[in-house]
């Protein structure tokens, strides 16, 4: 055994000899004789020896181009090798089959195995039929109808699907139990995959296709395709599943016989036929697939129409892309997950994703809450609600599809959340945070929009005949506040989840928060007027000083509140003018549309009219208006007389009044004028008119005046009256 030695002044490891043999006891004995510096230096030398040097930029560039070159080589060399070995394919497969035959007892052994498989399949299928007959009386069987609703269709198809699944489960367990009883483990190694991939999978695919396409029940069909297209798609989908299962079975069979993938390329050709088959289905049934994607929802957008037309080409693109990926992975020798069918599962979910989008639109069309109210506002709110539900469903569906695809490649969410696998992990977390934020954004917007639509549609519509008079009733307080709350919530959600998403990329968001605080402080100092407007608007809204649709006066400016923002309000004058007023410039607000309104009307009658008679007329008119269905619920107090309010040189002024809801007073006033005029005419009452009597001294016989003299007198009297009126107007 060697001996460690060194100097006291500077221990090194250059003269340390490792013990031979290097046993644990010898190592401990050597370390016991070494100083601390010697042990530390030896450890550093060993770590430096095993540490990998950091790659330079040139190394990284060379590595990237090397990977690209290796991938390209794997991509084109794999099909090239398959083409070269194509003439020997039959001979190589014959050798594999001969080897299997020899291991199974020769030709007789193979026939016996096939006979046992046929017996197992036949007995399992018979047991399945017996189980279905026994349980037939236990199940409710619904017959299809031509006027079936979505609920009826789903009930019928789901019950039929569950009956088929029940039969498949009985078949599976019966075949499994019987196979274990009559077959050896070596025979089961061949029979199990054969029955799984070539019998059970196609039957399961047929059950799923029959549930979705319902080729013989057009009234119950869940997708928008005709009978011929439904039968074509179901037939070829089952054939596609059978071909994919055959590919996996053949590759698995060859590997179990000790043949490598490079010896025979039958797996490559069968796998390629799968993608060609998909392209054939997509191209042949492109119109039917577009109709299926289009659906029957009348509220389709241009995006939905584009997706429907593009879907057949998307299927072809997925097939081509997946073929390229599988070819490259096979050329690189990464076939473990391919043998488990990960590429078929990925392709299935990619092809189903657009169809799931159509299913989401169909479900939303039937499950969305009914439209609240009537009119264009309610219709827009209903369509907006549908689109929000669809967008939320799309995000959830995309997340589910990505998770299922990741599981196909043995990638779990825990690998990303706990493994911390670098930038790829951060990118996944970034996308997940954005998806969560988007769902929260849509849910909050959906709730606020539904509440806003409910408030807007429940409000009484503005009468067009009285709209020009102003003073209409406004909306509810929620209808005024919710638009601002929606904008505030949306901005807050976008900012919060954007910062959280940026944080998942490993970026420190503390400087961003500090910068945002400094920016907000700078804006506060530099835009004090803006801050004053915003703060004033908040207090006006808290005080409920005005609402959208109310008629208000602000510093002599009158109009209906048409729009409010975070810093200003817009008033629409009844003549059409629009005034924009910052909240900070509003000294006070006079609201003409809050709760109730009293309108007083004046009528002047001659001196000889009995005021009591007029009072009774007003009372009768008030009772008639209360019973009029046009004004039902509009009156808070009926129209009635307030008695004589003034007596002048013209006649007696009698005043009437009524109390009504804001916005209804003008139509009521118009109706009252009409009825008062008719009632006065029926009762022989005339409205008092201003008269001018001309007294001419010395003229005792006015009837003897000629027409010319009467005209001259009238012109003179008119001039006097006009002069008096002008004089009265000029008085302060």
């Amino acid at each position: 055994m060697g001996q460690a030695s060194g100097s006291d002044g500077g221990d090194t490891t250059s003269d340390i000899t490792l013990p031979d043999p290097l046993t644990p006891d010898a190592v401990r004995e050597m370390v016991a004789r070494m100083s601390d510096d010697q042990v530390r230096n030896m450890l550093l030398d060993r770590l430096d020896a095993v540490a990998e040097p950091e790659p330079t930029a040139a190394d990284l560039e060379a590595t990237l181009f090397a990977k690209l070159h290796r991938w390209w080589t794997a991509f084109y060399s794999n099909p090239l090798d398959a083409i070269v070995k194509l003439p020997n394919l039959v001979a190589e497969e014959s050798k594999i089959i001969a080897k299997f035959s020899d291991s199974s007892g020769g030709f007789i052994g193979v026939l016996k195995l096939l006979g046992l498989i046929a017996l197992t399949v036949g007995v399992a299928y018979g047991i399945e039929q017996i189980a279905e007959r026994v349980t037939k009386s236990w199940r409710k069987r619904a017959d299809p109808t031509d006027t079936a609703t979505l609920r009826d269709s789903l009930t019928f198809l789901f019950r039929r699907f569950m009956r088929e699944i029940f039969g498949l489960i009985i078949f599976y367990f019966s075949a499994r139990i019987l196979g274990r009883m009559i077959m050896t483990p070596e025979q089961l190694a061949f029979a199990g995959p054969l029955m799984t991939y070539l019998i059970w999978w196609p039957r399961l695919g047929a059950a799923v296709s029959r549930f979705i396409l319902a080729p013989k029940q057009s009234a119950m069909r869940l997708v928008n395709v005709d009978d011929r297209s439904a039968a074509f798609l179901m037939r070829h989908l089952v054939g596609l599943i059978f071909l994919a299962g055959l590919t996996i079975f053949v590759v698995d069979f060859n590997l179990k016989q000790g043949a490598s993938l490079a010896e025979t390329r039958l797996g490559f050709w069968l796998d390629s036929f799968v993608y060609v088959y998909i392209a054939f289905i997509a191209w042949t049934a492109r119109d039917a697939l577009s109709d299926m994607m289009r659906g029957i929802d009348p509220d389709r957008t241009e995006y939905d129409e584009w997706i429907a037309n593009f879907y057949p080409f998307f299927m072809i693109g997925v097939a081509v892309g997946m073929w390229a990926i599988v070819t490259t992975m096979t050329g690189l020798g990464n076939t473990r997950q391919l043998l488990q069918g990960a590429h078929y599962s990925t392709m299935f979910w990619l092809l189903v994703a657009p169809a799931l989008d159509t299913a989401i639109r169909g479900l939303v069309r039937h499950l969305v809450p009914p439209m609240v109210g009537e009119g264009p506002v309610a219709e827009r709110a209903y369509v907006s609600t549908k689109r929000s539900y669809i967008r939320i469903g799309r995000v959830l569906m995309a997340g589910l599809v990505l998770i299922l695809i990741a599981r196909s490649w043995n990638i779990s969410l825990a690998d990303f959340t706990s493994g911390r696998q670098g930038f790829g992990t951060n990118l996944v977390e970034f996308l997940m945070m954005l998806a969560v934020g988007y769902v929260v954004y849509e849910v909050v917007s959906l709730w606020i929009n539904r509440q806003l639509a409910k408030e807007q549609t429940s409000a009484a519509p503005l009468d067009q005949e009285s709209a020009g008079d102003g003073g209409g009733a406004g909306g509810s307080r929620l209808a005024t506040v919710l638009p601002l709350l929606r904008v505030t919530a949306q901005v807050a959600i976008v900012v919060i989840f954007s910062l959280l998403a940026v944080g998942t990329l490993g970026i420190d968001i503390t400087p961003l928060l500090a910068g945002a605080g400094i920016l907000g402080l700078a804006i506060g100092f530099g835009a004090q007027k803006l801050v004053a407007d915003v703060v004033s608007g908040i207090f006006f809204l808290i005080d409920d000083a005005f609402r959208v649709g109310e008629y208000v006066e602000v510093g002599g400016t009158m109009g209906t509140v048409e729009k409010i923002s975070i810093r200003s309000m817009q008033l629409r004058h009844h003549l059409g003018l629009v005034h924009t007023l910052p909240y900070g410039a509003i000294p006070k607000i006079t609201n003409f549309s809050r709760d109730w309104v009293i309108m007083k009307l004046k009528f002047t009658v001659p001196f000889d009219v009995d005021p009591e008679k007029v009072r009774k007329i007003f009372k009768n008119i008030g009772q008639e208006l209360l019973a009029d269905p046009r004004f039902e619920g509009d009156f808070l107090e009926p129209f009635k007389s307030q008695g004589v309010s003034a007596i002048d040189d013209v006649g007696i002024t009698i005043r009437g009044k009524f109390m009504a809801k804001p916005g209804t007073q003008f139509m009521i006033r118009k109706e009252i004028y009409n009825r008062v005029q008719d009632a006065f005419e029926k009762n022989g009452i005339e409205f008092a008119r201003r008269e001018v009597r001309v007294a001419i001294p010395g003229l005792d016989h006015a009837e003897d005046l000629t027409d010319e003299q009467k005209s001259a007198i009238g012109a003179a009297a008119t001039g006097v009256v006009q002069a008096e009126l002008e004089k009265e107007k000029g008085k302060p």
Side-chain angles (χ1 to χ4, degrees):
M1 180 180 296
Q3 185 176 2
S5 63
S7 63
D8 297 337
D11 294 332
T12 63
T13 60
S14 59
D15 55 352
I16 297 176
T17 303
L18 296 178
D20 185 18
L22 192 63
T23 61
D25 293 336
V27 171
R28 282 193 292 270
E29 182 180 353
M30 181 190 71
V31 172
R33 293 196 301 266
M34 296 171 61
S35 65
D36 294 340
D37 291 338
Q38 287 178 321
V39 173
R40 182 167 56 252
N41 292 334
M42 176 177 285
L43 179 61
L44 291 175
D45 291 341
R46 295 300 176 184
L47 291 178
D48 291 339
V50 301
E52 296 182 358
E54 295 184 1
T56 63
D59 294 334
L60 292 176
E61 185 177 359
T63 303
L64 176 61
F65 281 104
K67 286 183 178 180
L68 293 176
H69 178 71
R70 187 159 56 94
W71 292 344
W72 170 248
T73 303
F75 170 71
Y76 77 81
S77 62
N78 188 28
L80 184 61
D81 180 67
I83 294 174
V84 171
K85 294 182 177 179
L86 182 60
N88 301 325
L89 188 147
V90 176
E92 294 295 334
E93 284 297 325
S94 299
K95 293 178 182 179
I96 296 174
I97 294 175
K99 183 178 180 180
F100 171 72
S101 177
D102 293 340
S103 63
S104 301
F107 181 73
I108 301 300
V110 174
L111 287 181
K112 179 181 178 182
L113 175 59
L114 295 177
L116 291 176
I117 293 175
L119 176 63
T120 302
V121 172
V123 173
Y125 185 74
I127 295 175
E128 175 187 347
Q129 295 299 314
I130 294 173
E132 287 189 356
R133 291 181 179 275
V134 170
T135 59
K136 183 177 181 180
S137 59
W138 304 351
R139 304 187 300 264
K140 292 182 179 180
R141 187 178 181 89
D143 296 327
T145 60
D146 295 334
T147 58
T149 62
L150 177 64
R151 182 186 182 91
D152 297 334
S153 300
L154 287 174
T155 301
F156 171 79
L157 295 174
F158 182 75
R159 286 178 178 175
R160 187 179 66 179
F161 177 72
M162 293 307 298
R163 288 197 301 268
E164 296 186 29
I165 294 298
F166 172 76
L168 287 175
I169 294 174
I170 296 295
F171 173 85
Y172 175 81
F173 283 104
S174 299
R176 189 178 181 88
I177 295 172
L178 183 60
R180 289 180 178 273
M181 293 173 59
I182 65 177
M183 296 184 193
T184 63
E186 291 78 11
Q187 292 172 332
L188 282 176
F190 175 81
L194 184 144
M195 287 189 290
T196 299
Y197 295 131
L198 303 184
I199 298 177
W200 202 81
W201 273 22
R203 291 194 63 192
L204 178 62
V208 175
S209 301
R210 200 162 16 248
F211 173 78
I212 298 175
L213 297 171
K216 296 183 179 180
Q217 285 87 22
S218 58
M220 296 288 183
R221 192 168 299 141
L222 299 179
V223 293
N224 182 35
V225 291
D226 55 31
D227 294 343
R228 181 179 178 181
S229 299
F232 173 86
L233 290 174
M234 178 179 173
R235 183 169 61 252
H236 287 285
L237 286 177
V238 174
L240 181 63
I241 295 173
F242 178 84
L243 180 57
L246 177 63
T247 303
I248 297 176
F249 171 75
V250 168
V251 173
D252 181 70
F253 173 76
N254 288 348
L255 292 176
K256 287 180 179 178
Q257 302 310 312
S260 65
L261 295 177
E263 292 181 16
T264 172
R265 305 311 306 272
L266 182 59
F268 170 82
W269 292 109
L270 290 176
D271 185 68
S272 299
F273 289 155
V274 171
Y275 307 121
V276 173
Y277 199 179
I278 292 175
F280 164 77
I281 296 173
W283 182 256
T284 306
R286 57 187 181 277
D287 294 335
L289 291 172
S290 295
D291 290 338
M292 181 183 70
M293 291 297 301
R294 193 172 289 112
I296 58 175
D297 189 358
D299 298 324
R300 290 190 300 269
T301 62
E302 294 182 1
Y303 169 79
D304 299 331
E305 192 69 26
W306 183 85
I307 287 293
N309 294 326
F310 182 72
Y311 179 63
F313 304 98
F314 172 77
M315 290 183 63
I316 298 174
V318 168
V320 173
M322 191 55 61
W323 177 82
I325 293 174
V326 172
T327 300
T328 304
M329 292 183 65
T330 305
L332 294 173
N334 300 329
T335 59
R336 182 175 59 86
Q337 293 170 323
L338 298 179
L339 295 176
Q340 298 174 356
H343 54 304
Y344 290 148
S345 178
T346 301
M347 187 166 54
F348 170 78
W349 288 114
L350 288 176
L351 295 178
V352 166
L356 291 178
D357 181 77
T358 302
I360 289 172
R361 289 190 285 117
L363 289 175
V364 168
R365 179 170 174 262
H366 291 87
L367 299 180
V368 69
M371 185 172 65
V372 179
E374 298 178 353
V377 174
E379 293 177 359
R380 288 195 299 269
Y382 178 72
V383 173
S384 176
T385 300
K386 286 178 58 178
R387 302 310 304 177
S388 295
Y389 276 113
I390 291 173
R391 287 191 293 267
I392 293 173
R394 282 172 176 168
V395 173
L396 297 178
M397 180 267 296
L400 177 62
V401 168
L402 289 177
I403 291 175
L404 293 173
I405 291 176
R407 291 191 61 183
S408 301
W409 298 93
N410 296 328
I411 301 173
S412 64
L413 188 61
D415 296 335
F416 291 104
T417 56
S418 61
R420 306 299 299 173
Q421 300 175 358
F423 182 75
T425 302
N426 294 339
L427 182 60
V428 172
E429 293 181 354
F430 174 78
L431 296 176
M432 291 176 58
M433 186 59 65
L434 289 183
V436 172
Y438 181 77
V439 171
V440 174
Y441 178 93
E442 286 290 348
V443 170
V444 172
S445 301
L446 177 64
W447 181 84
I448 294 178
N449 287 334
R450 278 194 58 81
Q451 297 298 320
L452 182 60
K454 187 183 299 183
E455 295 294 330
Q456 289 176 339
T457 54
S458 62
L462 180 64
D463 195 309
Q464 295 299 324
E465 294 187 24
S466 61
D469 296 311
S476 65
R477 189 175 187 181
L478 277 178
T480 302
V481 176
L482 282 177
L484 293 178
L485 179 62
R486 177 179 58 194
V487 174
T488 304
Q490 289 174 342
V491 172
I493 292 172
V494 170
V495 172
I496 291 173
F497 280 94
S498 296
L499 292 175
L500 293 176
V502 170
T504 59
L505 295 176
I507 301 174
D508 188 9
I509 62 174
T510 304
L512 296 178
L513 296 177
I518 296 174
L519 180 63
L521 188 61
I523 292 176
F525 281 111
Q528 297 183 21
K529 185 67 171 64
L530 176 63
V531 175
D533 292 338
V534 174
V535 174
S536 299
I538 292 174
F539 283 106
F540 275 126
L541 293 176
I542 292 176
D543 294 338
D544 195 20
F546 56 85
R547 300 173 184 174
V548 174
E550 290 184 332
Y551 197 82
V552 299
E553 179 184 1
V554 180
T557 301
M558 303 179 68
T560 302
V561 180
E562 186 175 73
K563 182 181 178 182
I564 63 172
S565 67
I566 195 171
R567 64 165 295 272
S568 64
M569 63 187 298
Q570 288 185 353
L571 299 183
R572 171 78 67 174
H573 193 267
H574 57 266
L575 298 180
L577 305 177
V578 177
H579 304 282
T580 301
L581 304 174
Y583 296 127
I586 300 177
K588 69 173 183 177
I589 295 178
T590 303
N591 197 323
F592 295 93
S593 302
R594 187 57 57 86
D595 301 331
W596 49 267
V597 62
I598 292 179
M599 181 163 282
K600 297 183 177 182
L601 310 178
K602 295 181 179 181
F603 303 91
T604 303
V605 296
F607 293 103
D608 57 350
V609 174
D610 185 5
E612 182 63 21
K613 186 176 183 180
V614 175
R615 185 189 68 80
K616 293 180 179 179
I617 292 175
F618 285 3
K619 182 178 180 181
N620 292 334
I621 292 175
Q623 296 301 318
E624 292 174 359
L625 291 176
L626 284 178
D628 194 328
R630 293 179 299 169
F631 307 106
E632 183 178 0
D634 294 341
F635 280 99
L636 300 179
E637 288 184 7
F639 176 65
K640 59 184 178 181
S641 173
Q642 286 190 298
V644 177
S645 62
I647 299 177
D648 54 20
D649 56 349
V650 177
I652 303 174
T653 300
I654 301 177
R655 190 167 61 183
K657 77 165 186 175
F658 64 90
M659 181 187 293
K661 295 180 179 179
T664 63
Q665 68 268 31
F666 304 107
M667 286 298 298
I668 295 176
R669 180 182 65 181
K670 186 185 300 184
E671 185 66 21
I672 289 175
Y673 281 151
N674 293 333
R675 297 199 179 204
V676 167
Q677 185 176 5
D678 293 341
F680 279 9
E681 185 177 353
K682 292 179 181 179
N683 289 272
I685 301 176
E686 295 182 354
F687 290 100
R689 292 181 290 273
R690 185 177 296 274
E691 296 180 352
V692 177
R693 297 187 179 185
V694 181
I696 302 176
L699 185 60
D700 297 331
H701 302 285
E703 63 274 5
D704 297 333
L705 294 175
T706 63
D707 295 337
E708 289 79 5
Q709 292 174 330
K710 292 180 180 179
S711 299
I713 295 173
T718 301
V720 174
V721 171
Q722 290 178 351
E724 291 294 328
L725 291 176
E726 292 294 336
K727 189 183 296 183
E728 291 181 359
K729 288 182 180 180
K731 291 180 180 180

